Coordinates of all heavy atoms in Angstrom, one line a residue:
M1 N -34.6 29.7 90.6 CA -33.9 30.9 90.3 C -34.5 31.5 89.0 O -34.8 32.7 89.0 CB -32.4 30.6 90.2 CG -31.6 31.8 89.9 SD -29.8 31.4 90.0 CE -29.3 32.4 91.3
F2 N -34.5 30.8 87.9 CA -35.1 31.3 86.7 C -36.5 30.8 86.6 O -36.8 29.7 86.9 CB -34.3 30.8 85.5 CG -33.0 31.4 85.3 CD1 -31.9 30.6 85.7 CD2 -32.8 32.7 84.9 CE1 -30.6 31.1 85.6 CE2 -31.5 33.2 84.8 CZ -30.4 32.4 85.2
K3 N -37.4 31.6 86.1 CA -38.8 31.3 85.9 C -38.9 30.4 84.7 O -38.2 30.5 83.7 CB -39.6 32.5 85.7 CG -39.7 33.4 87.0 CD -40.6 34.6 86.8 CE -40.6 35.4 88.1 NZ -41.6 36.5 88.0
P4 N -39.8 29.4 84.8 CA -40.0 28.4 83.7 C -40.3 29.1 82.3 O -39.8 28.7 81.3 CB -41.2 27.6 84.1 CG -41.2 27.7 85.6 CD -40.7 29.0 85.9
V5 N -40.9 30.3 82.3 CA -41.2 31.0 81.1 C -39.9 31.5 80.5 O -39.8 31.4 79.3 CB -42.2 32.2 81.4 CG1 -42.4 33.0 80.1 CG2 -43.5 31.6 81.9
V6 N -39.0 32.0 81.3 CA -37.8 32.5 80.8 C -36.9 31.4 80.2 O -36.3 31.5 79.1 CB -37.0 33.3 81.9 CG1 -35.6 33.7 81.4 CG2 -37.8 34.5 82.4
V7 N -36.9 30.3 80.9 CA -36.2 29.1 80.4 C -36.7 28.7 79.0 O -35.9 28.4 78.1 CB -36.2 28.0 81.4 CG1 -35.5 26.7 80.8 CG2 -35.5 28.4 82.7
K8 N -38.0 28.6 78.9 CA -38.6 28.2 77.6 C -38.3 29.2 76.5 O -38.0 28.8 75.4 CB -40.2 28.0 77.8 CG -40.6 26.8 78.6 CD -42.1 26.7 78.7 CE -42.4 25.6 79.6 NZ -43.9 25.5 79.8
L9 N -38.4 30.5 76.8 CA -38.0 31.5 75.9 C -36.6 31.4 75.4 O -36.3 31.5 74.2 CB -38.3 32.9 76.4 CG -38.0 34.1 75.5 CD1 -38.9 34.0 74.3 CD2 -38.2 35.4 76.3
V10 N -35.7 31.1 76.3 CA -34.3 31.0 75.9 C -34.1 29.7 75.0 O -33.4 29.8 74.0 CB -33.4 30.9 77.1 CG1 -32.0 30.4 76.8 CG2 -33.4 32.2 77.9
L11 N -34.8 28.7 75.3 CA -34.7 27.5 74.5 C -35.3 27.7 73.1 O -34.7 27.3 72.1 CB -35.4 26.3 75.1 CG -34.7 25.7 76.4 CD1 -35.6 24.7 77.0 CD2 -33.4 25.2 76.1
V12 N -36.4 28.4 73.0 CA -37.0 28.7 71.7 C -36.0 29.6 70.8 O -35.8 29.3 69.7 CB -38.3 29.4 71.8 CG1 -38.8 29.9 70.5 CG2 -39.4 28.4 72.4
V13 N -35.5 30.6 71.4 CA -34.5 31.5 70.7 C -33.3 30.7 70.3 O -32.8 30.8 69.1 CB -34.1 32.6 71.6 CG1 -32.9 33.4 71.0 CG2 -35.3 33.6 71.9
A14 N -32.8 29.8 71.1 CA -31.6 29.0 70.7 C -32.0 28.1 69.5 O -31.2 27.9 68.6 CB -31.2 28.1 71.9
L15 N -33.2 27.5 69.5 CA -33.6 26.7 68.4 C -33.7 27.5 67.1 O -33.3 27.0 66.0 CB -34.9 26.0 68.7 CG -34.8 24.8 69.7 CD1 -36.2 24.3 70.0 CD2 -34.0 23.7 69.1
I16 N -34.3 28.6 67.2 CA -34.4 29.5 66.0 C -33.1 29.9 65.5 O -32.8 29.8 64.3 CB -35.3 30.7 66.3 CG1 -36.7 30.3 66.6 CG2 -35.2 31.8 65.2 CD1 -37.6 31.4 67.1
V17 N -32.2 30.4 66.3 CA -30.8 30.8 65.9 C -30.1 29.6 65.3 O -29.4 29.8 64.3 CB -30.1 31.4 67.1 CG1 -28.6 31.6 66.7 CG2 -30.7 32.7 67.5
G18 N -30.1 28.5 65.9 CA -29.5 27.3 65.4 C -30.0 26.9 64.1 O -29.2 26.6 63.2
S19 N -31.3 26.9 63.8 CA -31.8 26.5 62.5 C -31.5 27.5 61.5 O -31.3 27.2 60.3 CB -33.3 26.2 62.6 OG -34.0 27.4 63.0
T20 N -31.4 28.8 61.8 CA -31.1 29.8 60.9 C -29.6 29.7 60.5 O -29.3 29.8 59.3 CB -31.3 31.2 61.5 OG1 -32.7 31.3 61.9 CG2 -31.0 32.3 60.5
F21 N -28.8 29.4 61.4 CA -27.3 29.2 61.1 C -27.2 28.1 60.1 O -26.4 28.2 59.2 CB -26.5 29.0 62.4 CG -25.1 28.8 62.1 CD1 -24.2 29.8 61.7 CD2 -24.6 27.5 62.2 CE1 -22.9 29.6 61.5 CE2 -23.2 27.2 61.9 CZ -22.4 28.3 61.5
T22 N -27.8 27.0 60.3 CA -27.7 25.8 59.5 C -28.2 26.2 58.1 O -27.6 25.7 57.1 CB -28.6 24.7 60.0 OG1 -28.2 24.4 61.3 CG2 -28.5 23.4 59.2
A23 N -29.2 27.0 57.9 CA -29.7 27.3 56.6 C -28.7 28.1 55.8 O -28.7 28.1 54.6 CB -31.0 28.1 56.7
F24 N -27.8 28.9 56.5 CA -26.8 29.7 55.8 C -25.5 28.9 55.5 O -24.6 29.5 54.8 CB -26.5 30.9 56.6 CG -27.6 31.9 56.6 CD1 -28.3 32.2 57.8 CD2 -27.9 32.6 55.5 CE1 -29.3 33.1 57.8 CE2 -29.0 33.5 55.5 CZ -29.7 33.8 56.6
A25 N -25.4 27.7 56.0 CA -24.2 26.9 55.6 C -24.1 26.7 54.1 O -25.1 26.4 53.5 CB -24.2 25.6 56.4
A26 N -22.9 26.8 53.6 CA -22.8 26.5 52.1 C -23.2 25.1 51.8 O -22.9 24.2 52.6 CB -21.3 26.8 51.7
Q27 N -23.7 24.9 50.6 CA -24.1 23.6 50.2 C -22.8 22.8 49.8 O -21.9 23.4 49.2 CB -25.0 23.7 48.9 CG -25.3 22.3 48.4 CD -26.6 22.2 47.8 OE1 -27.4 23.1 47.9 NE2 -26.9 21.1 47.1
L28 N -22.7 21.6 50.2 CA -21.6 20.8 49.9 C -21.8 20.0 48.6 O -22.7 19.2 48.6 CB -21.4 19.8 51.1 CG -20.1 18.9 51.0 CD1 -18.9 19.7 51.0 CD2 -20.1 18.0 52.2
S29 N -21.0 20.3 47.6 CA -21.1 19.6 46.3 C -20.2 18.4 46.3 O -19.0 18.6 46.6 CB -20.7 20.6 45.2 OG -21.6 21.7 45.2
L30 N -20.7 17.3 46.0 CA -19.9 16.0 46.0 C -19.6 15.7 44.5 O -20.5 15.7 43.7 CB -20.7 14.9 46.6 CG -21.2 15.2 48.0 CD1 -22.1 14.0 48.5 CD2 -20.1 15.4 49.0
F31 N -18.4 15.2 44.3 CA -18.0 14.8 43.0 C -17.3 13.5 43.0 O -16.5 13.2 43.9 CB -17.0 15.9 42.4 CG -17.6 17.2 42.3 CD1 -17.4 18.2 43.3 CD2 -18.3 17.6 41.2 CE1 -17.9 19.4 43.3 CE2 -18.9 18.9 41.1 CZ -18.7 19.8 42.2
S32 N -17.6 12.7 42.0 CA -17.0 11.3 41.8 C -15.6 11.4 41.2 O -14.8 10.4 41.3 CB -17.9 10.4 41.1 OG -18.1 10.9 39.8
A33 N -15.3 12.5 40.5 CA -14.0 12.6 39.8 C -13.3 13.9 40.3 O -13.9 15.0 40.5 CB -14.2 12.7 38.3
E34 N -12.0 13.8 40.5 CA -11.3 14.9 41.0 C -11.3 16.1 40.1 O -11.4 17.3 40.5 CB -9.8 14.5 41.2 CG -8.9 15.5 41.8 CD -7.5 15.0 41.9 OE1 -7.1 14.0 41.3 OE2 -6.8 15.6 42.8
D35 N -11.3 15.9 38.8 CA -11.4 17.0 37.8 C -12.7 17.8 37.9 O -12.7 19.0 37.7 CB -11.2 16.4 36.4 CG -9.8 15.9 36.1 OD1 -8.9 16.4 36.8 OD2 -9.6 15.1 35.1
Q36 N -13.8 17.1 38.1 CA -15.0 17.8 38.3 C -15.0 18.7 39.5 O -15.5 19.9 39.4 CB -16.2 16.8 38.5 CG -16.5 15.9 37.3 CD -17.4 14.8 37.7 OE1 -17.5 14.3 38.9 NE2 -18.2 14.4 36.7
A37 N -14.4 18.3 40.6 CA -14.3 19.1 41.8 C -13.4 20.3 41.5 O -13.7 21.5 41.9 CB -13.8 18.3 42.9
K38 N -12.3 20.1 40.8 CA -11.4 21.2 40.4 C -12.1 22.3 39.6 O -11.8 23.5 39.7 CB -10.1 20.7 39.7 CG -9.2 20.0 40.6 CD -8.0 19.5 39.8 CE -7.0 18.8 40.7 NZ -5.8 18.3 40.0
Q39 N -13.0 21.8 38.7 CA -13.7 22.8 37.9 C -14.7 23.6 38.7 O -14.9 24.8 38.5 CB -14.4 22.1 36.7 CG -13.5 21.6 35.7 CD -14.3 20.8 34.6 OE1 -15.5 20.6 34.7 NE2 -13.6 20.3 33.6
H40 N -15.3 22.9 39.7 CA -16.3 23.6 40.6 C -15.6 24.7 41.5 O -16.2 25.7 41.7 CB -17.0 22.5 41.4 CG -17.9 23.1 42.4 ND1 -19.1 23.7 42.0 CD2 -17.9 23.2 43.8 CE1 -19.8 24.1 43.1 NE2 -19.1 23.8 44.2
C41 N -14.4 24.4 41.9 CA -13.7 25.3 42.8 C -12.3 25.5 42.4 O -11.4 25.0 43.1 CB -13.8 24.8 44.3 SG -13.2 23.1 44.5
P42 N -12.0 26.2 41.3 CA -10.7 26.3 40.8 C -9.7 27.1 41.7 O -8.5 26.9 41.6 CB -10.9 27.1 39.5 CG -12.2 27.8 39.6 CD -13.0 26.9 40.5
S43 N -10.2 27.9 42.6 CA -9.3 28.6 43.5 C -9.2 28.0 44.9 O -8.6 28.6 45.8 CB -9.8 30.1 43.6 OG -11.1 30.1 44.2
D44 N -9.7 26.8 45.1 CA -9.7 26.2 46.4 C -9.0 24.8 46.2 O -8.9 24.3 45.1 CB -11.2 26.0 46.9 CG -11.2 25.6 48.3 OD1 -10.2 25.6 49.0 OD2 -12.4 25.2 48.8
L45 N -8.6 24.2 47.3 CA -8.1 22.9 47.4 C -9.2 21.9 47.2 O -10.3 22.0 47.8 CB -7.3 22.6 48.7 CG -6.0 23.3 48.9 CD1 -5.5 23.1 50.3 CD2 -5.0 22.9 47.9
V46 N -8.9 20.8 46.5 CA -9.8 19.7 46.4 C -9.3 18.6 47.4 O -8.1 18.3 47.5 CB -9.9 19.1 45.0 CG1 -10.7 17.8 45.0 CG2 -10.5 20.1 44.1
V47 N -10.2 18.1 48.2 CA -9.9 17.1 49.2 C -10.8 15.9 49.0 O -11.9 16.0 48.4 CB -10.0 17.6 50.7 CG1 -9.0 18.7 50.9 CG2 -11.4 18.2 51.0
W48 N -10.5 14.8 49.6 CA -11.3 13.6 49.6 C -12.0 13.5 50.9 O -11.4 13.4 52.0 CB -10.5 12.3 49.4 CG -11.3 11.1 49.4 CD1 -11.4 10.2 50.5 CD2 -12.1 10.5 48.4 NE1 -12.3 9.2 50.2 CE2 -12.7 9.4 48.9 CE3 -12.4 10.9 47.1 CZ2 -13.6 8.6 48.1 CZ3 -13.3 10.2 46.3 CH2 -13.8 9.0 46.9
L49 N -13.3 13.5 50.9 CA -14.1 13.5 52.1 C -14.7 12.1 52.4 O -15.4 11.6 51.5 CB -15.3 14.5 52.1 CG -16.2 14.6 53.2 CD1 -15.5 15.0 54.5 CD2 -17.4 15.5 53.0
N50 N -14.3 11.5 53.5 CA -14.9 10.2 53.9 C -16.3 10.6 54.5 O -16.3 11.2 55.6 CB -14.0 9.6 54.9 CG -14.5 8.2 55.3 OD1 -15.6 7.8 55.0 ND2 -13.6 7.4 55.9
L51 N -17.3 10.3 53.8 CA -18.7 10.8 54.2 C -19.1 10.3 55.6 O -19.7 11.1 56.3 CB -19.7 10.4 53.1 CG -19.4 11.1 51.8 CD1 -20.3 10.5 50.7 CD2 -19.5 12.6 51.8
P52 N -19.0 9.0 55.9 CA -19.5 8.6 57.2 C -18.8 9.2 58.4 O -19.4 9.5 59.4 CB -19.2 7.0 57.2 CG -19.1 6.7 55.8 CD -18.5 7.8 55.1
T53 N -17.4 9.5 58.3 CA -16.7 10.0 59.4 C -16.6 11.5 59.3 O -16.2 12.2 60.3 CB -15.2 9.5 59.4 OG1 -14.6 9.9 58.2 CG2 -15.2 8.0 59.6
R54 N -16.9 12.1 58.2 CA -16.8 13.6 57.9 C -15.4 14.1 58.1 O -15.2 15.2 58.5 CB -17.8 14.3 58.8 CG -19.2 13.9 58.5 CD -20.2 14.6 59.3 NE -20.1 16.0 59.1 CZ -20.9 16.9 59.6 NH1 -21.9 16.6 60.4 NH2 -20.8 18.2 59.3
I55 N -14.4 13.3 57.8 CA -13.0 13.6 57.8 C -12.5 13.6 56.4 O -12.7 12.7 55.6 CB -12.2 12.6 58.7 CG1 -12.7 12.7 60.2 CG2 -10.7 12.9 58.6 CD1 -12.1 11.7 61.1
Y56 N -11.7 14.7 56.1 CA -11.2 14.7 54.7 C -9.7 14.6 54.7 O -9.0 14.8 55.7 CB -11.6 16.0 54.0 CG -11.2 17.3 54.6 CD1 -9.9 17.8 54.5 CD2 -12.2 18.1 55.3 CE1 -9.6 19.1 55.1 CE2 -11.9 19.3 55.8 CZ -10.6 19.8 55.7 OH -10.3 21.0 56.3
H57 N -9.2 14.2 53.5 CA -7.8 13.9 53.3 C -7.3 14.6 52.1 O -8.0 14.8 51.1 CB -7.6 12.3 53.0 CG -8.2 11.5 54.1 ND1 -7.6 11.2 55.3 CD2 -9.5 11.0 54.2 CE1 -8.4 10.4 56.0 NE2 -9.5 10.3 55.4
W58 N -6.0 15.1 52.2 CA -5.4 15.9 51.1 C -4.8 14.9 50.1 O -4.4 13.8 50.4 CB -4.4 16.8 51.6 CG -5.0 17.9 52.4 CD1 -5.3 19.2 52.0 CD2 -5.2 18.0 53.8 NE1 -5.8 19.9 53.0 CE2 -5.8 19.2 54.1 CE3 -5.1 17.0 54.9 CZ2 -6.2 19.6 55.4 CZ3 -5.5 17.4 56.1 CH2 -6.0 18.6 56.4
K59 N -4.6 15.4 48.9 CA -3.9 14.7 47.8 C -2.5 14.3 48.3 O -1.8 15.0 48.9 CB -3.8 15.5 46.5 CG -3.3 14.7 45.3 CD -3.4 15.5 44.1 CE -3.2 14.6 42.9 NZ -3.7 15.1 41.7
G60 N -2.2 13.0 48.0 CA -0.9 12.4 48.4 C -1.0 11.7 49.7 O -0.1 10.9 50.1
M61 N -2.1 11.8 50.4 CA -2.3 11.0 51.7 C -2.8 9.6 51.3 O -3.4 9.4 50.3 CB -3.3 11.7 52.6 CG -2.7 13.0 53.2 SD -3.9 13.7 54.4 CE -2.8 14.8 55.3
R62 N -2.7 8.7 52.3 CA -3.0 7.3 52.1 C -4.5 7.1 51.7 O -4.8 6.3 50.8 CB -2.8 6.6 53.4 CG -3.2 5.2 53.4 CD -3.0 4.6 54.8 NE -3.4 3.2 54.8 CZ -3.5 2.5 55.9 NH1 -3.1 3.0 57.1 NH2 -3.9 1.2 55.9
W63 N -5.4 7.8 52.3 CA -6.9 7.6 52.0 C -7.5 8.6 51.0 O -8.7 8.5 50.7 CB -7.6 7.7 53.3 CG -7.2 6.6 54.3 CD1 -6.6 6.8 55.5 CD2 -7.4 5.2 54.1 NE1 -6.3 5.6 56.1 CE2 -6.8 4.6 55.3 CE3 -8.0 4.4 53.2 CZ2 -6.8 3.2 55.4 CZ3 -7.9 3.0 53.3 CH2 -7.4 2.5 54.5
Y64 N -6.6 9.4 50.4 CA -7.2 10.3 49.3 C -7.7 9.5 48.2 O -7.0 8.8 47.5 CB -6.1 11.2 48.9 CG -6.5 12.3 47.9 CD1 -7.1 13.5 48.3 CD2 -6.4 12.1 46.5 CE1 -7.5 14.4 47.4 CE2 -6.8 13.1 45.6 CZ -7.4 14.2 46.1 OH -7.8 15.2 45.2
G65 N -9.0 9.5 48.0 CA -9.7 8.8 46.9 C -9.8 7.3 47.2 O -10.1 6.6 46.3
N66 N -9.5 6.9 48.4 CA -9.5 5.4 48.7 C -10.3 5.0 49.9 O -9.9 4.1 50.6 CB -8.0 5.0 49.0 CG -7.2 5.1 47.7 OD1 -7.6 4.7 46.7 ND2 -6.0 5.6 47.9
T67 N -11.4 5.6 50.1 CA -12.4 5.1 51.1 C -13.6 4.6 50.4 O -13.9 5.1 49.3 CB -12.7 6.1 52.2 OG1 -13.4 7.2 51.6 CG2 -11.5 6.6 52.9
K68 N -14.4 3.7 51.0 CA -15.6 3.1 50.3 C -16.6 4.2 50.1 O -17.2 4.3 49.0 CB -16.2 2.0 51.2 CG -15.4 0.7 51.1 CD -16.2 -0.3 51.9 CE -15.5 -1.6 51.8 NZ -16.2 -2.7 52.6
N69 N -16.9 5.0 51.1 CA -18.0 6.0 51.0 C -17.4 7.4 51.1 O -17.5 8.0 52.1 CB -19.0 5.8 52.1 CG -19.7 4.4 51.9 OD1 -20.2 4.1 50.9 ND2 -19.8 3.7 53.0
G70 N -16.9 7.8 50.0 CA -16.3 9.2 50.0 C -16.5 9.9 48.7 O -17.1 9.3 47.7
S71 N -16.1 11.1 48.6 CA -16.3 12.0 47.5 C -15.2 13.1 47.5 O -14.7 13.5 48.5 CB -17.7 12.5 47.5 OG -18.0 13.2 46.3
Y72 N -14.9 13.6 46.3 CA -14.1 14.8 46.1 C -14.9 16.0 46.4 O -16.1 16.1 45.9 CB -13.5 14.9 44.7 CG -12.5 13.7 44.4 CD1 -13.0 12.6 43.6 CD2 -11.2 13.7 44.9 CE1 -12.1 11.6 43.4 CE2 -10.4 12.7 44.6 CZ -10.8 11.6 43.8 OH -10.0 10.6 43.6
V73 N -14.4 16.9 47.2 CA -15.1 18.1 47.6 C -14.1 19.3 47.6 O -12.9 19.1 47.7 CB -15.8 18.0 48.9 CG1 -16.9 16.9 48.9 CG2 -14.9 17.7 50.1
C74 N -14.7 20.5 47.7 CA -13.8 21.7 47.9 C -13.6 21.8 49.4 O -14.5 21.7 50.2 CB -14.6 22.9 47.3 SG -15.0 22.8 45.6
K75 N -12.4 22.1 49.8 CA -12.0 22.2 51.2 C -12.9 23.2 51.9 O -13.4 23.0 53.0 CB -10.5 22.5 51.4 CG -10.1 22.5 52.8 CD -8.7 22.9 52.9 CE -8.2 23.1 54.4 NZ -9.0 24.1 55.1
K76 N -13.0 24.4 51.3 CA -13.8 25.5 52.0 C -15.2 25.0 52.2 O -15.8 25.3 53.3 CB -13.8 26.7 51.1 CG -14.5 27.9 51.7 CD -14.4 29.1 50.8 CE -15.2 30.3 51.4 NZ -15.2 31.4 50.5
E77 N -15.9 24.4 51.3 CA -17.2 23.9 51.5 C -17.3 22.8 52.6 O -18.2 22.8 53.4 CB -17.8 23.3 50.2 CG -18.1 24.4 49.1 CD -18.7 23.8 47.9 OE1 -19.0 22.6 47.8 OE2 -18.8 24.5 46.9
A78 N -16.3 22.0 52.6 CA -16.2 20.9 53.6 C -16.1 21.5 55.0 O -16.9 21.1 55.9 CB -15.0 20.0 53.3
D79 N -15.2 22.5 55.1 CA -15.1 23.2 56.4 C -16.4 23.9 56.9 O -16.8 23.8 58.0 CB -14.0 24.2 56.4 CG -12.6 23.6 56.2 OD1 -12.4 22.4 56.6 OD2 -11.7 24.3 55.8
E80 N -17.0 24.6 55.9 CA -18.2 25.3 56.2 C -19.4 24.4 56.6 O -20.4 24.8 57.2 CB -18.7 26.2 55.1 CG -17.7 27.3 54.8 CD -18.0 28.1 53.6 OE1 -18.8 27.6 52.7 OE2 -17.4 29.2 53.4
N81 N -19.3 23.1 56.3 CA -20.3 22.1 56.6 C -20.0 21.2 57.8 O -20.6 20.2 58.0 CB -20.7 21.3 55.4 CG -21.6 22.1 54.4 OD1 -22.8 22.1 54.6 ND2 -21.0 22.7 53.4
G82 N -19.0 21.7 58.6 CA -18.7 20.9 59.8 C -17.7 19.7 59.6 O -17.6 19.0 60.6
N83 N -17.1 19.6 58.5 CA -16.2 18.5 58.3 C -14.8 19.0 58.7 O -14.6 20.2 58.9 CB -16.1 18.1 56.8 CG -17.5 17.6 56.4 OD1 -18.0 16.6 56.7 ND2 -18.2 18.5 55.6
R84 N -13.8 18.1 58.9 CA -12.5 18.5 59.3 C -11.5 17.6 58.6 O -11.7 16.5 58.2 CB -12.3 18.4 60.8 CG -12.4 17.0 61.4 CD -12.0 17.0 62.8 NE -12.0 15.7 63.4 CZ -11.1 14.8 63.3 NH1 -10.0 15.0 62.6 NH2 -11.2 13.6 63.9
G85 N -10.2 18.1 58.6 CA -9.1 17.4 58.1 C -8.7 16.3 59.0 O -8.9 16.4 60.2
T86 N -8.0 15.3 58.5 CA -7.5 14.2 59.3 C -6.4 14.8 60.3 O -5.7 15.7 60.0 CB -6.8 13.1 58.4 OG1 -6.4 12.1 59.2 CG2 -5.7 13.7 57.6
L87 N -6.3 14.1 61.4 CA -5.4 14.6 62.4 C -4.1 13.7 62.4 O -3.1 14.1 63.0 CB -6.0 14.5 63.8 CG -7.2 15.5 64.0 CD1 -7.8 15.3 65.4 CD2 -6.8 16.9 63.8
N88 N -4.2 12.5 61.8 CA -3.1 11.6 61.9 C -2.2 11.6 60.6 O -1.3 10.8 60.4 CB -3.5 10.2 62.2 CG -4.4 9.5 61.2 OD1 -4.6 10.1 60.1 ND2 -4.9 8.4 61.5
G89 N -2.5 12.4 59.6 CA -1.8 12.5 58.4 C -2.0 11.4 57.4 O -1.2 11.2 56.5
Q90 N -3.0 10.6 57.6 CA -3.3 9.5 56.6 C -4.5 9.9 55.9 O -5.4 9.8 55.5 CB -3.4 8.2 57.4 CG -2.1 7.8 58.0 CD -2.2 6.4 58.5 OE1 -2.8 5.5 58.0 NE2 -1.6 6.2 59.7

């Protein structure tokens, strides 16, 4: 149905658009101290990001500041980089 040239062209365009979008994602700044993160993003919420799972936790939650491989980050930056909040409230 589709010619191989058209399929290849669509794949190339998809790769270019995808890599361009990644380049525009905000840089995620990681902080070892909550106060440092608050200074970096005073108008945003600070969350604890579990780096291996890419799931973040809000202050007052069980895992906020309590995972082995995590960091304090700005919620907006975390969201823009494909991370998400916990779904189970912990």
Side-chain angles (χ1 to χ4, degrees):
M1 183 175 240
F2 292 104
K3 294 184 178 182
V5 173
V6 173
V7 173
K8 288 179 184 177
L9 180 61
V10 169
L11 290 174
V12 169
V13 169
L15 286 172
I16 292 171
V17 170
S19 63
T20 303
F21 177 75
T22 302
F24 287 113
Q27 177 149 348
L28 183 62
S29 300
L30 307 176
F31 299 95
S32 59
E34 184 179 22
D35 289 339
Q36 294 171 328
K38 286 181 180 180
Q39 288 177 358
H40 177 71
C41 54
S43 63
D44 193 10
L45 289 173
V46 172
V47 294
W48 176 261
L49 177 61
N50 185 346
L51 297 171
T53 63
R54 298 181 62 177
I55 295 174
Y56 58 78
H57 308 273
W58 291 269
K59 189 170 190 158
M61 291 185 163
R62 175 182 179 188
W63 297 113
Y64 184 83
N66 291 319
T67 62
K68 283 185 179 182
N69 296 313
S71 187
Y72 295 100
V73 299
C74 303
K75 182 184 176 302
K76 183 179 176 183
E77 288 180 10
D79 291 338
E80 290 173 350
N81 282 277
N83 303 287
R84 67 169 179 84
T86 182
L87 297 177
N88 66 6
Q90 294 188 39

